[in-house]
Amino acid sequence: MHADQVDVDAALVRDLVAAQFPRWADLPVTDLPSAATVNAVFRLGEELVVRLPLRAEAARQVPAEHAAARELLGRTRFPTPQVVAAGEPGAGYPFAWTVARWIAGTPADEVDTTALDGLALDVAEFVRGVRDLPLHDRRFSGTGRGGDLHAHDAWVGECLDRSAGLLDVGALRALWARYRVLPHVSADVVTHGDLVPGNLLVADGRLAGVLDVGGLGPADPALDLIAGWHLFDGPARERFRTACAVEDLDWVRGQAWAFQQSVGLVQYYERTNPRMSSLGRRTLERVLADPLV
């Protein structure tokens, strides 16, 4: 997917585990194909999962991911990652890596979630629970999604330039021109930061777990509302909105954040990660069908 990513396979995972955690050396290692973009994930036995960064940029976030996992664990009724061991570089692999408890469920990008009202209510409950975490003295970092929308003008413009022939670039440019000037008036809260379908696990139509918590931290409270646009159509999305209990401006900014994320997925992952490319296209179709500005 990326020019600078490292190669990771089950044999490497077995070597790393055997060398650093010999108590698990006899457990089977199973590759878990997913839409993940910066980590490779393998199941280790029945109760564990191994997560290995594919790029140096992702590897630098591992300590923050472990801290976020500790902060979030048990703070909502939904399972979230529980780190049980921290791996080190070895066997030719250059980065720190993680062993965590397995969380059962099917990634939401493998399920038709469009009309799952129960899932909409569950995801809204999770969003509210994360918002209730204390900020302490933390503030938005100033990078990535979650600050001022207009700070992403260059990125959005670049993505649209590269998407000619794939998307209705003219309509999307016009829409971004309206999004980028939406005021940021709500105070920051703690957000998950990346509530895409691949990070949500579903069982029997309900939320079974939430993954990839490394982005946990202070940001625009509208940021986690992207889930409504990534997951749901019409009525279920409206139930999500109502259950989130957000102001109208925050709801519109949530649509804008979903747009900003999605416009970067379609072209970049068209050949290397079709699930992520399809997610971006589907979300943009929903946004264009129901623009809020």
Side-chain angles (χ1 to χ4, degrees):
M1 291 177 290
H2 314 284
D4 59 347
Q5 78 176 55
V6 300
D7 292 327
V8 176
D9 58 21
L12 172 64
V13 175
R14 282 192 289 269
D15 289 344
L16 287 168
V17 169
Q20 299 184 33
F21 306 110
R23 63 189 180 278
W24 297 323
D26 293 332
L27 296 178
V29 175
T30 307
D31 189 2
L32 296 175
S34 74
T37 60
V38 294
N39 291 278
V41 183
F42 296 81
R43 190 166 184 176
L44 180 61
E46 294 296 317
E47 299 181 357
L48 301 172
V49 62
V50 177
R51 192 166 183 261
L52 303 98
L54 295 173
R55 310 174 75 185
E57 180 180 2
R60 288 191 288 270
Q61 300 304 312
V62 169
E65 291 174 355
H66 291 182
R70 291 191 296 270
E71 179 181 1
L72 185 56
L73 188 67
R75 298 303 296 267
T76 74
R77 68 182 179 90
F78 306 103
T80 55
Q82 179 181 358
V83 177
V84 297
E88 300 177 347
Y93 177 75
F95 305 135
W97 50 285
T98 303
V99 183
R101 294 289 178 197
W102 174 258
I103 303 174
T106 302
D109 60 353
E110 299 178 14
V111 178
D112 182 1
T113 63
T114 54
L116 294 180
D117 289 349
L119 180 63
L121 297 177
D122 288 347
V123 176
E125 180 184 339
F126 177 79
V127 169
R128 295 196 311 270
V130 172
R131 280 194 213 138
D132 288 340
L133 293 172
L135 275 173
H136 300 298
D137 293 327
R138 295 175 296 182
R139 296 293 182 269
F140 177 65
S141 66
T143 60
R145 291 182 298 275
D148 293 323
L149 285 158
H150 63 76
H152 300 271
D153 282 344
W155 167 247
V156 171
E158 179 181 343
C159 292
L160 291 174
D161 288 344
R162 294 177 176 178
S163 298
L166 294 174
L167 299 170
D168 186 346
V169 171
L172 294 172
R173 285 193 196 280
L175 192 51
W176 180 250
R178 299 196 293 275
Y179 283 143
R180 65 176 303 280
V181 297
L182 291 171
H184 183 183
V185 297
S186 295
D188 285 354
V189 298
V190 180
T191 69
H192 175 279
D194 196 19
L195 289 181
V196 295
N199 289 336
L200 301 172
L201 299 176
V202 179
D204 299 322
R206 306 303 295 255
L207 184 63
V210 180
L211 306 176
D212 199 4
V213 301
L216 188 80
D220 179 356
L223 182 56
D224 280 347
L225 303 180
I226 62 173
W229 300 93
H230 286 324
L231 290 164
F232 307 117
D233 281 344
R237 186 165 61 244
E238 189 60 31
R239 287 179 175 83
F240 172 76
R241 174 185 182 176
T242 300
C244 283
V246 295
E247 300 292 336
D248 289 348
L249 176 58
D250 287 342
W251 182 243
V252 180
R253 285 179 62 87
Q255 187 184 60
W257 287 122
F259 175 107
Q260 185 275 346
Q261 183 177 48
S262 298
V263 79
L265 301 178
V266 178
Q267 180 272 334
Y268 188 88
Y269 291 113
E270 182 187 14
R271 298 184 184 279
T272 60
N273 193 332
R275 282 164 65 176
M276 288 301 286
S277 181
S278 295
L279 168 65
R281 186 183 297 276
R282 183 170 61 249
T283 299
L284 290 173
E285 288 172 352
R286 288 171 177 158
V287 167
L288 284 171
D290 187 19
L292 300 178
V293 291

